[in-house]
Amino acid sequence: DPLEWQLSADDTPHVFLTGFTWEVPGPQTGVANAVLGGWNVSGVLRYESGRPLNITMTNDLSGLLFNGQKRPNRVSGVDGVADISDFDPFTDNYFNRAAWTDPGPLQFGNAAKRDGTVRGFPNYSEDINIFKVFPLTGQQSLRFEAQIGNLFNRTIYCNPQSNWSAANFGQVFTQCNTARSIPFGLRFDF
């Protein structure tokens, strides 16, 4: 019997990650340059698919052959994840319960430890930094900065309950990111 093959818990088949810095062009002279010129925008954009999930169930094999978990049988041809295009964690269930069945008492299920077709929520994040250095006299300058975390105020949910035996299987209880934040800063260099 071959050893069990599984995906890594960090398997993310699609990742787009980029960082950028841009000095915004502006007027070259006078008061207009002092106000509009020399602004810098930098940021990090990250878009990635969800990680594979481990579907478990109540373990009646506990302690047998060092077994730490029991998995249900995976039903072939049935999608494990419900349509999440307009997912509402207060009313919707993330999983399709019919995609798994009970293998029976004291039986090992055939579901993969981490199923590549059953993944958590994707992660989309945009963090931006805007700053400008205002030269004053001699070595003195004033730096204004705004750091915008979660620019579009996206909600990223944590993984749903993945114990198939639980009454709340597939329900989502928490948000895994923070709301948009925009701290401002002033720094005087001398």
Side-chain angles (χ1 to χ4, degrees):
D1 195 29
L3 295 175
E4 182 179 36
W5 179 87
Q6 65 182 336
L7 293 172
S8 165
D10 289 325
D11 179 67
T12 48
H14 304 103
V15 176
F16 176 78
L17 173 63
T18 187
F20 64 89
T21 300
W22 179 43
E23 185 171 343
V24 181
Q28 299 300 312
T29 59
V31 175
N33 180 51
V35 175
L36 301 175
W39 286 93
N40 287 275
V41 178
S42 60
V44 175
L45 310 176
R46 182 181 190 97
Y47 308 98
E48 65 183 23
S49 54
R51 290 173 167 76
L53 298 177
N54 180 11
I55 306 300
T56 62
M57 63 182 297
T58 300
N59 189 358
D60 60 0
L61 296 167
S62 183
L64 177 66
L65 299 173
F66 307 103
N67 179 37
Q69 67 174 225
K70 181 176 178 178
R71 297 188 298 269
N73 283 332
R74 184 72 162 89
V75 176
S76 179
V78 179
D79 286 338
V81 176
D83 179 20
I84 62 167
S85 57
D86 59 348
F87 183 79
D88 180 354
F90 299 108
T91 60
D92 297 338
N93 195 308
Y94 186 79
F95 293 126
N96 175 7
R97 185 180 285 276
W100 295 272
T101 61
D102 189 338
L106 302 176
Q107 298 293 314
F108 291 103
N110 67 6
K113 180 159 185 177
R114 291 185 196 90
D115 190 342
T117 65
V118 181
R119 293 180 174 271
F121 292 95
N123 181 14
Y124 307 126
S125 66
E126 300 87 8
D127 298 322
I128 304 293
N129 184 30
I130 301 169
F131 74 90
K132 177 176 172 64
V133 176
F134 297 91
L136 299 175
T137 58
Q139 299 281 11
Q140 298 177 343
S141 65
L142 186 65
R143 177 183 169 122
F144 170 79
E145 186 168 3
Q147 299 174 346
I148 307 169
N150 193 3
L151 177 66
F152 298 117
N153 205 25
R154 297 179 190 269
T155 299
I156 307 296
Y157 298 112
C158 295
N159 288 337
Q161 166 63 265
S162 61
N163 183 331
W164 184 79
S165 303
N168 58 5
F169 175 68
Q171 290 183 345
V172 177
F173 301 102
T174 54
Q175 178 179 341
C176 274
N177 67 336
T178 57
R180 180 188 306 122
S181 65
I182 310 175
F184 296 97
L186 279 176
R187 186 177 79 192
F188 177 62
D189 293 322
F190 56 94

